[in-house]
Amino acid sequence: MTILNRLFIILSISLFASNSAFAQEQTSEQTDSVAQPALPTDLHASFLIADPGLDFYSSYGHCVIRLQCPSAGLDFCYTYSLDDNLANEVAMFRGKGKGQYAAIKTPLFIKEYQELKRGVKNYEINLTVEQVRSLWQILDGEISQGAYRQYNYLKTNCSSMSMLALERCLGDEEIKWGELNHGITGTYRNFINVISEHRPWTGFFWTTILGAGGDETGYMGDKMGPTLIVPAMQDAKFVAADGTERPFLKGEPEVVNESGLVYKDWLFTPWSFFAVVLLLAIIVSLLEWKKKAKGVVVGFDIILLALQTIAGIVIFYLSVISDMTGASHNWNLLVLNPLPVILWLAARKRAWYKKVWLVYTVVLIAYIALLPFTPQVDALRVLMISPLLVRCATKAFLNK
């Protein structure tokens, strides 16, 4: 290649590079001269609180976060719930149920509750625009991760996870609560008792399966149940790092769906039911003592043993086998376990089996003696096992 040819190639490359740099500079200047669109500022965040339903899973109500941007036509409800299928509902009692955030258009959410005749109110949260943006990003990020958290009624439920997302978006601000209900400031057992005031059997179930974990105070936000979060928000305030405060809520709550659900009173509460069973146990014991109505006595004992066995299997599974939160170390295992029916099936014809009644009577008395020492044994639980005590003591006395 000649020297002239080499010079021509070098000049050509130099000219091309100069033109490319000039073009990039012109493009950059043109881009800078075009104004970037401003982010919308008409953002709103609210809690939507739904009234309790009639079935087991909806008996404590529901809480979701509503996010709106009217200028962009956006209105979504972000709800944290158990992954909606039967297998996952059963898995919850194994401690394996998965919960996740999901987004649903607000009109669809409200329509669902209209069909269920459950009332819904909108409580707008007094967040800054930046905080609402942050909350929106947090919730969208959670949705992208799918169902990766354990769902349980004590710690990761609809309202506690809504509160967690809210707290994460506050930055250097914090929430200053006013006077709070004992259900929020007390233990998880207090929490269940308070929110179950009008759901006696649901409350009885949860307090019976709660073990030592139910006696922990835990994190206050876990106990912001749908029925408790409303009065808590009324006096709450957001406090900035410089000490300035503003109300937690903005304006008055808005009714977005009227309640049309009729809540029927229970014919039998746990108190009245076990009182009747105790009365029947006393009558049956008198009949056995007088050696009358043997068929009635045997039939009553079979039913009582069957109920004790079913309850015992459930408590044993949840406390010993399952990983369900709060169910381990349950004192109810002393009297509610499968051992009595196992002994009855395997050894009822043995001569020593008659002594089992005396042993179990002692165990039941020992359980009652725990009443002053652990919240797991309360007056209702004592009433629950009293029919067993009457029948076991009767048989132990008659078989002397």
Side-chain angles (χ1 to χ4, degrees):
M1 180 181 293
T2 64
I3 295 176
L4 289 176
N5 287 337
R6 289 178 180 175
L7 288 173
F8 177 76
I9 292 172
I10 293 171
L11 288 172
S12 299
I13 293 172
S14 300
L15 181 62
F16 176 78
S18 298
N19 288 337
S20 296
F22 177 75
Q24 290 176 2
E25 184 178 352
Q26 289 291 101
T27 302
S28 177
E29 289 177 357
Q30 290 174 1
T31 301
D32 292 340
S33 65
V34 177
Q36 295 294 326
L39 293 174
T41 57
D42 57 333
L43 302 178
H44 305 274
S46 308
F47 279 138
L48 283 187
I49 309 293
D51 291 343
L54 297 177
D55 60 50
F56 178 80
Y57 286 96
S58 65
S59 58
Y60 292 140
H62 194 42
C63 173
V64 303
I65 294 177
R66 180 186 187 182
L67 296 177
Q68 298 170 270
C69 179
S71 64
L74 300 177
D75 189 355
F76 285 92
C77 289
Y78 288 81
T79 174
Y80 184 87
S81 59
L82 188 67
D83 196 12
D84 193 15
N85 59 72
L86 179 60
N88 213 13
E89 290 174 355
V90 173
M92 184 184 76
F93 293 100
R94 295 189 291 111
K96 306 295 183 183
K98 296 296 184 182
Q100 63 179 354
Y101 290 93
I104 179 173
K105 291 182 178 180
T106 299
L108 294 178
F109 176 86
I110 295 173
K111 181 181 178 182
E112 178 183 349
Y113 282 85
Q114 286 174 339
E115 294 173 352
L116 295 172
K117 298 181 179 180
R118 292 169 61 184
V120 180
K121 286 186 178 180
N122 184 89
Y123 298 85
E124 185 169 359
I125 309 169
N126 195 14
L127 296 177
T128 66
V129 172
E130 290 76 16
Q131 287 171 337
V132 179
R133 287 198 187 108
S134 175
L135 180 58
W136 215 315
Q137 292 173 344
I138 288 168
L139 292 171
D140 283 339
E142 287 285 347
I143 289 175
S144 67
Q145 296 186 63
Y148 70 98
R149 283 190 174 92
Q150 184 191 38
Y151 181 94
N152 62 72
Y153 262 52
L154 286 187
K155 297 184 178 180
T156 53
N157 51 60
C158 62
S159 51
S160 68
M161 296 306 292
S162 295
M163 281 300 305
L164 177 63
L166 174 65
E167 290 173 350
R168 289 172 59 189
C169 82
L170 294 181
D172 60 355
E173 289 191 333
E174 61 181 22
I175 302 172
K176 177 182 176 182
W177 300 103
E179 185 176 351
L180 295 174
N181 188 288
H182 183 53
I184 296 175
T185 59
T187 65
Y188 290 108
R189 192 177 303 277
N190 297 140
F191 165 64
I192 293 295
N193 282 326
V194 170
I195 65 175
S196 302
E197 182 181 1
H198 302 293
R199 299 288 182 275
W201 283 105
T202 305
F204 172 75
F205 171 80
W206 285 111
T207 51
T208 302
I209 68 171
L210 282 181
D215 303 323
E216 299 173 358
T217 302
Y219 170 56
M220 191 179 71
D222 294 342
K223 294 166 284 183
M224 290 283 182
T227 57
L228 296 180
I229 195 172
V230 173
M233 292 188 298
Q234 304 294 338
D235 299 325
K237 296 179 180 179
F238 291 113
V239 182
D242 61 2
T244 57
E245 299 179 350
R246 68 180 188 280
F248 186 98
L249 294 177
K250 183 186 292 185
E252 295 297 319
E254 173 193 1
V255 177
V256 296
N257 187 49
E258 293 285 353
S259 176
L261 203 59
V262 177
Y263 300 97
K264 297 180 180 180
D265 293 331
W266 287 90
L267 179 61
F268 282 107
T269 66
W271 282 97
S272 59
F273 174 79
F274 289 116
V276 170
V277 175
L278 176 58
L279 178 61
L280 291 175
I282 294 171
I283 294 172
V284 167
S285 295
L286 290 173
L287 290 173
E288 186 174 18
W289 179 58
K290 293 182 177 181
K291 297 182 180 180
K292 294 181 178 181
K294 184 177 180 180
V296 174
V297 173
V298 172
F300 181 83
D301 286 344
I302 290 174
I303 294 173
L304 197 60
L305 182 60
L307 291 175
Q308 190 275 345
T309 301
I310 293 170
I313 291 173
V314 171
I315 297 293
F316 180 81
Y317 175 80
L318 294 177
S319 181
V320 178
I321 301 174
S322 168
D323 293 327
M324 187 175 181
T325 300
S328 60
H329 304 99
N330 192 330
W331 281 107
N332 291 315
L333 273 174
L334 277 175
V335 293
L336 296 177
N337 60 73
L339 185 58
V341 75
I342 293 173
L343 286 174
W344 183 81
L345 291 172
R348 67 183 183 277
K349 294 183 180 180
R350 303 285 182 90
W352 54 264
Y353 181 73
K354 295 179 180 180
K355 297 180 180 179
V356 170
W357 300 112
L358 178 60
V359 172
Y360 204 56
T361 300
V362 173
V363 170
L364 290 165
I365 293 173
Y367 174 85
I368 294 174
L370 292 171
L371 180 61
F373 304 105
T374 173
Q376 293 185 43
V377 181
D378 57 13
L380 179 56
R381 249 50 57 169
V382 169
L383 178 61
M384 174 186 71
I385 61 98
S386 293
L388 289 170
L389 177 59
V390 169
R391 293 302 300 134
C392 289
T394 301
K395 288 187 175 295
F397 175 78
L398 294 177
N399 288 319
K400 276 187 176 182

